[in-house]
Amino acid sequence: MKPVSGKEDASGGIIVLAQDAQNFYLCRANALEGNFRLYVVQANQRVTLESADITPLALGTWHSLRVARVGSLLECALDGKTLLTHRLTAGQEPAWASGRVGLWTKADSVTHFDDLSLARLPEAPKGVRP
């Protein structure tokens, strides 16, 4: 992702495990606020699951975002470094936690995306919960 401009917001992210426009997980970086966050959105209500302070991203600079799910573990990486890890315990994982992916921006953000790739990760060995 490359945050280009925005006065109110300059952010971009990856939507994963989306059921629809109101139910998904979001890993996003905000260039103006200097933070990297993982959210769950349920019934269009956004809740922060994990957050990390980062050096504010320079506008016009490319950055890599990565989201991986192995079992109940979600990992979010920025520029090759895993900064957020969240484990959903039994009963926390929404029934809809499988589905589509997408790209996300907000407000007046102008953000470019390139080289999106998807890969299925190997399953954890039986009896081992990541």
Side-chain angles (χ1 to χ4, degrees), residues 55-73:
T55 301
L57 305 177
L59 297 179
T61 303
W62 284 103
H63 299 275
S64 66
L65 296 176
R66 178 179 174 270
V67 180
R69 178 184 184 205
V70 180
S72 63
L73 188 66

Side-chain angles (χ1 to χ4, degrees):
M1 96 170 195
K2 177 168 65 171
V4 176
S5 66
K7 292 185 190 245
E8 182 180 329
D9 210 342
S11 60
I14 301 173
I15 292 171
V16 296
L17 308 173
Q19 180 66 31
D20 54 36
Q22 296 184 14
N23 297 282
F24 54 88
Y25 289 90
L26 167 64
C27 178
R28 70 97 173 115
N30 189 309
L32 298 183
E33 295 175 0
N35 57 45
F36 187 56
R37 292 192 175 150
L38 173 64
Y39 298 100
V40 63
V41 177
Q42 291 182 283
N44 214 33
Q45 298 298 309
R46 187 173 71 175
V47 175
T48 303
L49 297 175
E50 303 292 337
S51 183
D53 292 330
I54 59 172
T55 301
L57 305 177
L59 297 179
T61 303
W62 284 103
H63 299 275
S64 66
L65 296 176
R66 178 179 174 270
V67 180
R69 178 184 184 205
V70 180
S72 63
L73 188 66
L74 289 175
E75 293 182 341
C76 299
L78 177 64
D79 293 330
K81 184 175 179 183
T82 300
L83 299 176
L84 306 174
T85 302
H86 183 77
R87 181 183 303 278
L88 297 172
T89 58
Q92 277 188 312
E93 186 170 347
W96 51 263
S98 64
R100 298 168 273 189
V101 300
L103 301 173
W104 177 93
T105 65
K106 180 182 163 208
D108 65 341
S109 295
V110 175
T111 305
H112 296 178
F113 295 93
D114 194 11
D115 294 335
L116 175 67
S117 63
L118 306 172
R120 181 175 295 277
L121 298 174
E123 297 290 328
K126 291 190 184 231
V128 175
R129 184 177 175 171

